[in-house]
């Protein structure tokens, strides 16, 4: 029983006052665990070389962070696992059989420009892995859009991604191969089952806030559904948009990054819906078949504004 004297004691301490059971290191290694199904599916469908791509990406992410910390004479924080997560994420969003040299350059760019330029973990504005991919997209446009045929493909399955096949040839890929992952696409983005396994795990342990992936899914169904209802012959159906390309991977592993996503509940909904709207606009009216990377990076830039506009009103506050 708490004594009366102790219960009346008033403790004063400096901020922050919010405590969490999660340490940065613990969160990062749980994310690494959640990414394993996508990595395994990439190896199954595209071969063991994909593991080498991911390992090279991890190695150069870690090495870059270590060198920059040493140059700055600041504490080396490699053991927090954030560089490992960036390395895995970057590797999984690259095309199968991608150049190892280019992978290394992308990893260096991710950490040096996407993360350390802003001051390191917690200060970066944009998702570092997506910054690395955007760099590679600009530096190696042909290689970044060259896709390998999956190992268990049948005659009807081409190396083109479902989004590219629909965008340029109006060929609609069936739902089943997109759910399993037996289609063309980035190493870790083709299998919806593998992505959902990892994504639901992160939601279950409360590392990922469910509002962002759910708002993205609702947004995608809403915006692509409106177009589909207007003209189903011209526009793809919402299920196709959900399972094609990197939408699910972006919804569960990229948009939910703690540092580059809103902190308020209302802000998360706005963030998710806006990402889906941009994706639909790019996929439908833009020149590119995909749009997840650009949509998330664009909305990363709006996160400070979203946080400011959705900041909860202080109790008793009047405007």
């Amino acid at each position: 029983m708490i004594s009366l004297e102790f219960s009346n004691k008033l403790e004063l301490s400096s901020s922050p006052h919010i405590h969490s059971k999660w340490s940065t290191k613990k969160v990062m290694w749980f994310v690494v665990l959640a990414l394993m199904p996508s990595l395994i599916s990439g190896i199954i469908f595209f071969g063991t070389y994909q593991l080498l791509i991911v390992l090279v990406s991890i190695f150069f992410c870690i090495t870059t962070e270590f060198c920059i910390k040493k140059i700055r004479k600041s504490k080396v924080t490699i053991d927090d696992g954030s560089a490992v997560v960036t390395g895995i994420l970057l590797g999984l969003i690259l095309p199968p059989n991608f150049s190892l040299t280019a992978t290394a350059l992308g990893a260096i760019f991710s950490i040096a420009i996407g993360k350390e330029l802003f001051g390191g973990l917690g200060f970066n504005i944009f998702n570092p892995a997506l910054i690395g991919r955007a760099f590679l997209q600009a530096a190696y446009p042909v290689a970044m859009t060259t896709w390998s045929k999956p190992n268990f493909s049948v005659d009807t399955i081409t190396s083109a991604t479902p989004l590219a096949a629909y965008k340029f040839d109006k060929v609609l890929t069936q739902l089943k191969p997109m759910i399993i992952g037996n289609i063309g696409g980035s190493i870790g983005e083709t299998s919806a089952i593998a992505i959902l396994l990892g994504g639901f795990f992160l939601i279950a342990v409360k590392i990922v806030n469910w509002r962002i992936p759910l708002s993205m899914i609702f947004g995608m169904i809403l915006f692509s559904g409106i177009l589909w209802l207007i003209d189903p012959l011209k526009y793809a159906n919402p299920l196709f948009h959900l399972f094609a390309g990197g939408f699910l991977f972006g919804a569960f592993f990229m948009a939910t990054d703690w540092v580059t996503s809103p902190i308020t509940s209302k802000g998360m909904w706005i963030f998710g819906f806006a990402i889906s709207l941009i994706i639909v606009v790019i996929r439908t009216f833009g020149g590119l078949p995909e749009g997840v990377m650009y949509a998330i990076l664009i909305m990363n830039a709006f996160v400070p504004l979203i946080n400011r506009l959705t900041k909860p009103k202080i109790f008793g506050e009047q405007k």
Side-chain angles (χ1 to χ4, degrees):
M1 178 180 292
I2 302 174
S3 67
L4 182 61
E5 180 183 359
F6 186 78
S7 63
N8 288 334
K9 185 178 179 181
L10 178 62
E11 293 187 3
L12 297 177
S13 62
S14 61
S15 59
H17 302 292
I18 300 175
H19 297 273
S20 170
K21 65 178 181 178
W22 296 107
S23 65
T24 302
K25 184 187 294 185
K26 193 173 181 180
V27 167
M28 292 300 168
W29 290 112
F30 266 68
V31 175
V32 169
L33 184 62
L35 288 167
M36 288 302 104
S38 294
L39 175 58
I40 293 170
S41 72
I43 294 170
I44 291 173
F45 289 113
F46 299 107
T48 53
Y49 179 80
Q50 318 321 315
L51 178 61
L52 189 57
I53 291 176
V54 174
L55 291 176
V56 167
S57 180
I58 294 171
F59 174 79
F60 278 93
C61 280
I62 291 175
T63 305
T64 305
E65 184 168 310
F66 177 83
C67 293
I68 292 175
K69 294 291 186 186
K70 283 294 183 183
I71 293 171
R72 285 178 170 171
K73 297 181 179 178
S74 57
K75 183 182 177 183
V76 176
T77 54
I78 291 173
D79 64 338
D80 65 15
S82 61
V84 176
V85 169
T86 300
I88 298 176
L89 288 173
L90 176 64
L92 291 179
I93 57 178
L94 295 177
N97 304 315
F98 193 63
S99 159
L100 296 181
T101 303
T103 300
L105 290 175
I108 294 169
F109 199 89
S110 292
I111 297 297
I113 306 300
K115 184 178 176 183
E116 293 300 326
L117 182 66
F118 295 95
L121 181 63
F123 297 97
N124 52 294
I125 301 172
F126 302 101
N127 186 302
L130 289 179
I131 288 290
R133 193 185 191 284
F135 163 73
L136 292 173
Q137 187 77 46
Y140 302 91
V142 176
M144 288 294 289
T145 51
T146 301
W147 309 101
S148 301
K149 206 169 183 178
N151 286 335
F152 308 103
S153 63
V154 294
D155 292 341
T156 56
I157 294 178
T158 67
S159 59
T161 66
L163 288 171
Y166 185 79
K167 180 82 175 180
F168 303 117
D169 301 316
K170 288 299 176 187
V171 175
L172 193 65
T173 305
Q174 293 180 346
L175 199 58
K176 184 178 177 180
M178 289 196 293
I179 292 175
I180 295 173
N182 193 28
I183 53 173
S186 298
I187 296 170
E189 293 181 347
T190 61
S191 174
I193 293 176
I195 295 168
L196 292 174
L197 274 175
F200 287 155
F201 167 72
L202 291 180
I203 291 175
V205 296
K206 297 183 178 178
I207 288 178
V208 161
N209 192 303
W210 54 269
R211 290 177 180 83
I212 293 177
L214 192 63
S215 59
M216 283 182 65
I217 291 171
F218 280 164
M220 180 56 77
I221 293 173
L222 175 66
F223 300 125
S224 63
I226 291 172
L227 293 173
W228 180 64
L229 288 174
I230 293 173
D231 189 349
L233 296 177
K234 186 176 180 181
Y235 303 111
N237 63 71
L239 282 179
F240 173 79
H241 279 288
L242 283 180
F243 292 104
F247 179 80
L248 288 178
F249 195 84
F252 285 98
F253 292 108
M254 294 297 192
T256 52
D257 177 21
W258 284 6
V259 179
T260 58
S261 61
I263 58 174
T264 64
S265 298
K266 190 185 294 183
M268 293 178 187
W269 285 102
I270 295 171
F271 183 70
F273 272 101
I275 289 174
S276 289
L277 176 60
I278 296 171
I279 294 172
V280 171
V281 169
I282 292 176
R283 286 182 177 182
T284 308
F285 306 107
L288 298 173
E290 181 59 281
V292 174
M293 176 183 71
Y294 294 112
I296 295 176
L297 287 175
I298 289 170
M299 287 312 299
N300 282 163
F302 284 92
V303 167
L305 179 62
I306 293 173
N307 282 333
R308 181 181 298 178
L309 295 177
T310 58
K311 184 174 62 176
K313 186 185 295 184
I314 299 172
F315 181 73
E317 180 185 9
Q318 292 184 350
K319 290 186 177 179

